[in-house]
Amino acid sequence: MNAVRESLPEGRYGRSADQRADRNLKIIGSVLGAGMLGLVAWFGYDYVGGQTVSGEVIKFQVVSDSEVRLHLEVRKSDPAAKGVCTVNAQDVDHADVGRADFRFDATSKRIDELITLKTTARATTVELIGCQSD
């Protein structure tokens, strides 16, 4: 009985078309992946480096059904920068019960402010929406 050979002898006729296509796809995928990674890194650097003002709610205290006191810390890359931070308060059902913009004009790189936020109902959480420079 004769055995029927279905494939070519290995190494005798060079690479098959499938192997060449796989190699090309790997090269294209690597180049596109590296390009995408570079693009994400560029956007991330631009976003972080481009921010001149950032803020953080350090702590808050619910004083009454209509008032919350909070400690807001603002950091600026340029001490002369002026801007505004927006703060939002929510109740137990996550409904907005207070929102206000607070201006900062002090000429220092770090500002700590104790702020009172008026609310329409009892707040359970306070969050900083964001800070922007003028």
Side-chain angles (χ1 to χ4, degrees), residues 2 7 11 21 34 47-48 55 62-63 84-85 87-88 92 108 114-115 119 121:
N2 290 343
S7 63
Y47 176 75
V48 172
V62 178
V63 178
V84 63
C85 288
V87 179
N88 188 40
V92 71
S108 68
L114 296 175
I115 298 169
T119 61

Side-chain angles (χ1 to χ4, degrees), residues 59-77:
K59 63 182 178 177
F60 68 92
Q61 177 184 13
V62 178
V63 178
S64 68
D65 288 346
S66 62
E67 189 175 276
V68 176
R69 278 196 208 122
L70 59 119
H71 178 190
L72 179 66
E73 180 182 271
V74 179
R75 292 172 299 282
K76 306 184 290 183
S77 59

Side-chain angles (χ1 to χ4, degrees), residues 18 50 67 107:
D18 286 343
E67 189 175 276
T107 56

Side-chain angles (χ1 to χ4, degrees), residues 8-129:
L8 298 174
E10 221 174 292
R12 189 168 185 179
Y13 298 104
R15 291 186 171 172
S16 70
D18 286 343
Q19 289 174 327
R20 282 192 298 275
D22 286 348
R23 183 172 185 265
N24 287 342
L25 285 174
K26 286 178 185 176
I27 291 171
I28 291 170
S30 298
V31 169
L32 289 176
M36 184 63 103
L37 185 62
L39 192 63
V40 168
W42 174 261
F43 284 132
Y45 175 77
D46 185 52
Y47 176 75
V48 172
Q51 281 188 326
T52 57
V53 177
S54 64
E56 181 179 3
V57 174
I58 304 299
K59 63 182 178 177
F60 68 92
Q61 177 184 13
V62 178
V63 178
S64 68
D65 288 346
S66 62
E67 189 175 276
V68 176
R69 278 196 208 122
L70 59 119
H71 178 190
L72 179 66
E73 180 182 271
V74 179
R75 292 172 299 282
K76 306 184 290 183
S77 59
D78 178 16
K82 296 178 181 179
V84 63
C85 288
T86 304
V87 179
N88 188 40
Q90 295 178 341
D91 65 5
V92 71
D93 297 324
H94 303 288
D96 291 344
V97 293
R99 178 181 226 131
D101 293 332
F102 297 102
R103 295 205 53 78
F104 52 89
D105 299 325
T107 56
S108 68
K109 285 192 149 197
R110 184 171 163 243
I111 302 169
D112 283 316
E113 290 286 329
L114 296 175
I115 298 169
T116 301
L117 175 64
K118 299 292 183 183
T119 61
T120 57
R122 188 165 191 83
T124 57
T125 187
V126 175
E127 65 179 342
L128 176 67
I129 301 298

